[in-house]
Amino acid sequence: MTRADELSTMLAPDLVDSWSKYQETVGPEAAREDADAFAAGIYREGWPHIFPPPLFSSEFVDELSYAARTVVGLLQSIPERVFGGDITAWMEFQGLAREDSDLLTRSLNKRNLQMASQFARPDFVLTASGPKVVEVNVSAPLGGMNTVDPYVKQFRSSGYFRHLQEAGYDVSAPEMRSIWGEAFRSLVRPRQSDGRPADAPVVFEAIADSDDINSGRQAFEKLVGSFGFAYANGLVQDLDVRADGVYYEGRRINVVFTMYTWLETRKFVPSEVTVRLMEADAAGLVDFIAPPTSALFDHKANLELLTADSFAECFTEAERDFIRCYVPRTFRVTEGTASEALANRSRMVLKPGSDYGGRGIVFGDQVSDEEWTTAIGAAAAGSGFVCQQRLDELWTSQGFNGTEYGDYYVCLGPLVFAGKYAGTFVRWADAASGNLVINVKQGAEAGGLLAGHAAAV
C-alpha cells in the first residue's frame, strides 16, 4: 500500500459523509440549529470554531501522536548529540543577538533545561504525502490549550454527536487537562511544612504586556484550580522578589507561570526581572515555569539540524528515515545560502526563525522576483530567518460552512506535555481564499481533533 493509499483513510472511512446523513435524518433546519447551538456554547471572541468537525481515523491519530512525540524528542536531544553540550555553539548557530544570548546563558542549569521543553506543540500541515512538520512551538503558553478540551466537551453535547451514537459510533480524544496537570505538577517542588495546616499554593499567571492584563483569564484559573492551586495574575514586572520569597501585592506566590512568549520577554520584560526570578527558582523560593531557556528549542533553525546532510551523522538511520518522512528541508538564510534561496523561489517559503502567529511568512511563488530578492537580501543581511521547502500538494478536507461544502487546508498541532500526547489543536483554512498560512490570526477556524470509530460493545 502506498502512502497516498494510506491517506485515503486518514479520516474515519465510515464517517466521511456522516454530516450529510445527519442532515437527511433531522432536516437541514434542525442541523443548522445544532450548528448554531454549538457555536453559541463554545463562543470565544475572535476565535471561529469548526463545525461539523472532520472525524479522523484512530490509526491516523496514533501516527500523529507518534510523530509529534518523536520530533519533540529529537529536538530535546539536540544540545548533546549535535553540540556535545556546548550551548554557546548552539546559540551561535541560531544567530541570536548578543543581548538575547546573554540572558539565555544566565538561564542555563539542569532544572531550566528540563523545564524548557516540557510544553511543546509541533505543527503538521497535511499534504498528499502525509503530515509534515512546518515548525515546533516550545513554550509554556501554547495556542490550543484553551480550545481542545472545551471543543471536545461541547461536541459531545451536540445533536450531531447523539446521532453518531445512535448509529453505533463514538468519538474520542485525550483529556488535555489531566496530562497538562501531570507535567505541570512534576515541575512544582514540594513545600516545606512547619506542621501547621498549609494554605493552597498560589500560582501566579504572569503577563508581560500591559495591554493584555484585562483579557479573560478564567480558563487558566479554572485549570490550575482543578489541581488544588490558588490563583493570582498580573504583570510579571510587578512581582516583588525578596530574600524570603516572591510576592504580589503582599501575597506570597509559590509558582510563577509565564503566560507570555520569548518575543514578549524581549519586548516588555527587563532582563533583571527575569534574572531575579531565575535566581529565586534556583534558591527554592519559587517555581518559575518557565524560564526563557525554551526559546532555544523553539527556534525554526533547529529544523536545519534535523534535515541538513551535514548533520545526518548525528542521527540513526531510523531517525533519518523518520525525518525524511515528516520534516521538510529547512535552512538558515545567510550570505552563503542566499543564492540557493534565490534560485529556487517557487519552491521556498521564507520564515522568521522565532516569530509566531503566521507573521512575516513569504511564499516565494506568491511574490515577484524583485520582491523575493529584496526579502532574501534583508534576511541574509540580518539573522534569524529560515527558508523551508515548499510543501507539495496540500491535502484538503471537505467542510460545510452552513450553506455549502468547500475544501479546507488543514494544520494539526498535537500538544506534547512531558513527552505525552495530550490532544491536538486543529486549524483549517478555506482553500478558495488562497491563504496558505493556516493560523487563527490569519482567518483559520479552530477545533480539537476527534477520532471517530465504532462504539465499544
Side-chain angles (χ1 to χ4, degrees), residues 27-50:
E29 183 176 345
R32 181 68 262 165
E33 290 174 354
D34 190 29
D36 290 343
F38 178 89
I42 200 172
Y43 176 77
R44 182 180 169 197
E45 186 175 359
W47 283 74
H49 289 93
I50 302 164

Side-chain angles (χ1 to χ4, degrees), residues 23 61 94 105 212 240 246 272 282:
Q23 288 180 302
V61 176
Q94 294 180 356
T105 297
D212 193 36
D240 181 11
V246 176
E272 58 267 23

Side-chain angles (χ1 to χ4, degrees), residues 85-141:
D86 186 349
I87 307 297
T88 298
W90 190 18
M91 290 190 285
E92 290 175 352
F93 173 86
Q94 294 180 356
L96 299 180
R98 178 64 180 270
E99 59 271 23
D100 295 340
S101 60
D102 285 348
L103 179 59
L104 290 170
T105 297
R106 298 188 70 172
S107 80
L108 298 177
N109 61 44
K110 183 177 180 180
R111 173 170 161 81
N112 287 351
L113 283 168
Q114 177 199 4
M115 280 195 287
S117 55
Q118 290 294 288
F119 306 99
R121 194 199 72 213
D123 281 347
F124 291 81
V125 170
L126 298 186
T127 76
S129 58
K132 305 296 181 182
V133 177
V134 293
E135 66 180 53
V136 183
N137 303 277
V138 183
S139 180

Side-chain angles (χ1 to χ4, degrees), residues 148-203:
V148 174
D149 279 356
Y151 187 91
V152 174
K153 181 180 179 181
Q154 190 65 35
F155 180 77
R156 287 185 172 275
S157 70
S158 68
Y160 179 35
F161 174 63
R162 291 191 294 274
H163 165 78
L164 293 174
Q165 287 183 306
E166 291 167 1
Y169 295 95
D170 199 357
V171 299
S172 59
E175 184 188 52
M176 188 217 74
R177 184 197 72 86
S178 61
I179 299 171
W180 180 90
E182 183 179 349
F184 174 76
R185 287 183 294 183
S186 73
L187 302 176
V188 177
R189 293 165 292 194
R191 293 187 295 162
Q192 291 185 347
S193 172
D194 59 5
R196 294 178 295 179
D199 295 330
V202 180
V203 175

